Amino acid sequence: IPCVPWQSQTSGQYQRRVHGGNIEATKEYVEKKQTRTYKEIQEALLEAERESDDEESEDDDPYTDGAIYNPLKIPLDFDKRPIPYWLYKFRGLNRYFTCEICGGYQYRGPRSFQRHFREWRHAHGMRCLGIPNTKDFHLITQIDDAINLYDKIKQVKAKSSYRPDEEEEFEDINGTVFRKRDYDRLVRQGVL
């Protein structure tokens, strides 16, 4: 029966025989480290940083070489990488909205399109058309539509504004109330 090394020796003896070189090297390293000065420690740290920088520059990371593969023109995230495709679709960034009032500017996604109605470019375009930039014109992007809506709003406001000949009221001696037009007619006829 062949003798197995760990059966013929105690485990401590076997460990010393197999790992003896490592144990001695570790003891020497710890003693050497404990006897170093502050300056030697700083130099060792700087040297380790330089080595790690060299290793990082040698890595073949596809995102660090500057040429990012982005055929769909997906917007970049804060780390200069394209955002995930599901997030791109979820935010609706695959849809473009064009606003004629803003000079044909295209907005990517519904969120930026909704926000642009409060921004300077849209307000300037409305001012150039002579139209106030109010909530009534929210989601109106065509110049003709905006002008037609503004004309319609002016007509509605003109009808609802105060007209003295129609709404002014007069009262006769008996306390009867007449509109101005009716009162003037009755006075001309000599009834009142």
Side-chain angles (χ1 to χ4, degrees):
I1 298 176
C3 183
V4 180
W6 56 85
Q7 290 178 348
S8 63
Q9 302 172 350
T10 63
S11 70
Q13 291 172 343
Y14 178 72
Q15 293 290 335
R16 268 185 245 115
R17 188 168 56 84
V18 172
H19 301 293
N22 289 342
I23 293 172
E24 292 302 319
T26 304
K27 283 181 183 177
E28 288 176 13
Y29 178 73
V30 169
E31 289 173 1
K32 181 181 175 184
K33 201 168 185 181
Q34 288 175 345
T35 59
R36 289 193 302 180
T37 63
Y38 179 76
K39 187 176 180 181
E40 291 173 341
I41 294 171
Q42 290 298 323
E43 289 173 1
L45 287 174
L46 288 173
E47 185 178 327
E49 285 180 14
R50 282 189 217 116
E51 289 176 5
S52 67
D53 289 343
D54 292 342
E55 289 174 4
E56 287 177 6
S57 65
E58 293 173 3
D59 289 344
D60 292 330
D61 190 9
Y63 294 112
T64 57
D65 62 352
I68 298 173
Y69 181 68
N70 191 3
L72 297 176
K73 305 287 189 231
I74 294 177
L76 302 178
D77 206 358
F78 62 90
D79 60 351
K80 305 291 188 225
R81 295 180 182 177
I83 63 172
Y85 187 71
W86 66 267
L87 187 60
Y88 169 77
K89 295 287 276 188
F90 180 73
R91 290 184 180 167
L93 299 176
N94 56 334
R95 297 191 340 229
Y96 290 92
F97 299 91
T98 304
C99 182
E100 189 179 327
I101 295 171
C102 298
Y105 195 81
Q106 280 191 332
Y107 296 93
R108 189 176 210 170
R111 186 174 175 194
S112 66
F113 178 68
Q114 293 289 335
R115 193 182 309 135
H116 103 274
F117 290 105
R118 296 184 304 270
E119 292 177 351
W120 68 270
R121 182 179 284 123
H122 193 80
H124 177 70
M126 294 292 278
R127 202 175 312 116
C128 290
L129 294 172
I131 301 173
N133 191 22
T134 61
K135 284 274 190 187
D136 299 329
F137 299 97
H138 196 71
L139 296 177
I140 303 293
T141 59
Q142 301 297 317
I143 293 173
D144 295 335
D145 294 343
I147 292 172
N148 292 340
L149 180 61
Y150 184 57
D151 291 340
K152 188 173 183 179
I153 289 173
K154 283 196 304 190
Q155 289 174 358
V156 169
K157 284 188 178 181
K159 285 182 182 177
S160 66
S161 65
Y162 176 72
R163 292 184 303 248
D165 60 330
E166 299 257 341
E167 297 178 15
E168 199 170 7
E169 296 178 342
F170 287 87
E171 189 174 331
D172 67 351
I173 299 171
N174 299 333
T176 310
V177 177
F178 299 100
R179 287 188 305 199
K180 181 179 187 324
R181 182 177 55 187
D182 296 337
Y183 183 79
D184 290 341
R185 192 178 313 136
L186 290 172
V187 168
R188 265 187 265 125
Q189 291 175 358
V191 176
L192 294 178

